[in-house]
Amino acid sequence: MGLKAIHFGGGNIGRGFVAEKLHMTGYEVVFVDVMDSIIEKLQSTKSYTVTEIGGEGEKVNTITNYRAINSKTHEADVIKEIASADLVTCAVGPNILKFIAPVIAKGIDQRTSSTPLAVIACENAIGATDTLAGHIKDPRNTPQEKHEEHDSKVRYANSAIDRIVPQQDADAGLNVKIESFFEWVVESTPWTKTGVKHPEIEGVKWVEDLVPYIERKLFTVNTGHAAAAYYGHNRHKKFIHDALEDHEIKKIVHEALAETSHLIVKKHGITNQEQKHYVNKIIKRISNPHLEDVVERVGRAPLRKLSRKERFLGPATELAERGDNVDALLGCIEMAFLFQNIEGDEESVELANILKAHDAKSVVEKVCGLTEKDKIFPHVVKIVEKVQKA
């Protein structure tokens, strides 16, 4: 039998990035989702295309050799597929991990292969695979007495992914338009510490210590991208490249990334020159007009992006504790709080409601997860008070 990967999430990252690389490696990909429309399209279509967009033009890859299962209606089939798979990946969003955990736990429990299943969560969140593993090993999904057996059947590896998926054409169907640049870094430790070789996946960079890569990516790519989006929205720009053509916005984004770069260099031992080169590369990437990246798409889900470990408050909280400057990041946080009542974005509506219903301190505690013990707390409270008065 050939290689088989189960991928949870039939969205653009799943089809256009993860499945593309798995297909290139030679895996049969089994998509799992609860969305009837996406599963039906995948089941009725034998191929789709991934168009990579870069400065050198476009490259089209055709993806085949996949199947699709609706886990809402055919859970037993998903369990059976996991029981005989080589790899499980997901791109469902950090908040959905707890919902896919039960069926993965059942699939692992039924495995008889001597080769451990590889599980890699491909989410924009630090330690997403650890989070998923925690849900899978919750006693409600995997009884405590089975944990030792469970651990022998699976290897959990955190990963960091970096690839921009812009707004798709209305008539795209399953086809995905995606940035040509990508980075997919996965920790190798779960295999090397037991003397077992990690699985082969096209394009993956395997590293012993993932944390520097995750934080560099989250605090540079995601911080810069979101900063451009929130300032761009505030100034009525349509696309990210429009926002970055505004010299003042571009200057602010550079200032925010100078602050995060200070943290990255001090914390992870990356050189100033290397980080400066990385920042310039990232700003050039997100400025690409061919991506036609809509600011509201990039800014959506502001509640998650304003949380303590995310792209603004993650670095800002650490910098403030060190006594370092966070003025530019505070400006980005203010713009994110102003991102309210955006059509099609439930979190932006909920953010507006929270700001109306609570005082500033309560908002900061509820939305940001900060307390009065955090040095940055009073600064964020002032921002919320200003936004509430606006």
Side-chain angles (χ1 to χ4, degrees):
M1 288 179 65
L3 295 168
K4 181 170 71 174
I6 315 303
H7 178 77
F8 285 81
N12 293 327
I13 281 286
R15 299 195 316 279
F17 184 6
V18 182
E20 179 197 40
K21 297 305 173 189
L22 296 177
H23 171 76
M24 288 178 171
T25 313
Y27 284 89
E28 177 194 26
V29 179
V30 180
F31 289 100
V32 177
D33 209 309
V34 295
M35 294 286 290
D36 296 338
S37 58
I38 194 76
I39 290 296
E40 287 167 6
K41 283 180 184 175
L42 285 163
Q43 288 175 337
S44 61
T45 310
K46 290 185 177 180
S47 67
Y48 64 87
T49 60
V50 175
T51 302
E52 299 181 355
I53 303 165
E56 305 78 32
E58 297 184 355
K59 177 186 175 185
V60 180
N61 297 319
T62 300
I63 311 303
T64 58
N65 192 28
Y66 60 81
R67 293 181 284 123
I69 303 172
N70 190 325
S71 56
K72 184 173 59 180
T73 57
H74 291 75
E75 183 183 278
D77 292 341
V78 178
I79 294 167
K80 186 177 177 182
E81 295 289 352
I82 293 170
S84 59
D86 301 281
L87 170 67
V88 168
T89 56
C90 66
V92 294
N95 297 333
I96 306 299
L97 295 174
K98 60 178 177 274
F99 298 115
I100 67 172
V103 70
I104 298 175
K106 291 173 186 174
I108 293 170
D109 186 52
Q110 289 194 11
R111 290 181 66 82
T112 57
S113 171
S114 59
T115 303
L117 175 71
V119 176
I120 304 170
C122 307
E123 309 289 349
N124 256 333
I126 294 172
T129 306
D130 286 343
T131 302
L132 176 60
H135 291 308
I136 292 171
K137 295 175 76 171
D138 184 295
R140 290 169 293 184
N141 297 321
T142 304
Q144 188 68 41
E145 62 270 19
K146 286 196 168 187
H147 276 196
E148 187 175 343
E149 179 190 355
H150 176 93
D151 291 344
S152 71
K153 292 181 174 182
V154 63
R155 297 289 181 270
Y156 293 104
N158 289 301
S159 78
I161 60 167
D162 179 9
R163 200 173 199 183
I164 296 170
V165 184
Q167 192 96 347
Q168 302 297 301
D169 298 331
D171 60 350
L174 293 175
N175 299 331
V176 182
K177 183 170 60 176
I178 199 164
E179 177 192 27
S180 58
F181 175 90
F182 76 92
E183 190 173 58
W184 187 1
V185 187
V186 182
E187 60 183 354
S188 58
T189 318
W191 290 274
T192 55
K193 70 182 181 183
T194 56
V196 179
K197 194 175 187 323
H198 60 68
E200 292 300 324
I201 304 173
E202 176 80 19
V204 164
K205 180 175 183 177
W206 298 90
V207 299
E208 290 290 321
D209 184 7
L210 187 66
V211 174
Y213 292 91
I214 289 180
E215 291 203 341
R216 185 182 72 159
K217 186 263 176 178
L218 184 63
F219 299 163
T220 309
V221 182
N222 297 77
T223 302
H225 211 193
Y230 290 131
Y231 273 101
H233 173 75
N234 186 255
R235 300 187 185 189
H236 311 291
K237 308 293 185 182
K238 183 176 181 182
F239 299 115
I240 294 296
H241 70 266
D242 292 331
L244 289 168
E245 284 172 2
D246 182 311
H247 295 298
E248 191 172 345
I249 294 177
K250 190 170 186 177
K251 180 173 179 286
I252 291 167
V253 172
H254 269 288
E255 288 169 352
L257 295 186
E259 292 173 4
T260 62
S261 291
H262 181 70
L263 177 65
I264 291 163
V265 168
K266 292 289 184 184
K267 188 175 177 181
H268 297 302
I270 295 168
T271 67
N272 277 306
Q273 190 60 37
E274 184 184 351
Q275 179 61 15
K276 185 177 180 181
H277 174 74
Y278 185 69
V279 166
N280 290 335
K281 180 173 71 173
I282 296 312
I283 291 180
K284 183 179 179 182
R285 281 174 56 204
I286 64 177
S287 300
N288 183 354
H290 299 293
L291 290 173
E292 296 187 339
D293 212 359
V294 178
V295 296
E296 285 78 16
R297 185 202 74 81
V298 179
R300 67 189 175 194
L303 289 176
R304 175 169 63 83
K305 289 167 184 171
L306 281 165
S307 61
R308 186 187 179 102
K309 292 184 178 181
E310 264 285 346
R311 58 207 69 196
F312 298 134
L313 277 162
T317 301
E318 287 193 53
L319 286 164
E321 293 299 322
R322 291 166 177 253
D324 292 324
N325 181 48
V326 292
D327 289 347
L329 287 168
L330 288 171
C332 296
I333 290 165
E334 180 182 342
M335 290 300 112
F337 269 111
L338 288 167
F339 193 80
Q340 301 170 32
N341 294 315
I342 307 300
E343 186 178 348
D345 181 23
E346 292 178 6
E347 283 197 18
S348 67
V349 175
E350 188 179 349
L351 175 60
N353 292 335
I354 290 170
L355 286 163
K356 285 179 184 176
H358 300 277
D359 63 84
K361 283 188 176 181
S362 299
V363 171
V364 175
E365 290 168 351
K366 182 180 178 66
V367 173
C368 304
L370 297 173
T371 70
E372 293 189 16
K373 293 179 181 178
D374 296 303
K375 287 185 179 179
I376 202 168
F377 185 83
H379 301 287
V380 183
V381 169
K382 282 184 183 176
I383 286 170
V384 172
E385 287 173 342
K386 181 181 175 183
V387 169
Q388 289 176 321
K389 289 174 185 174

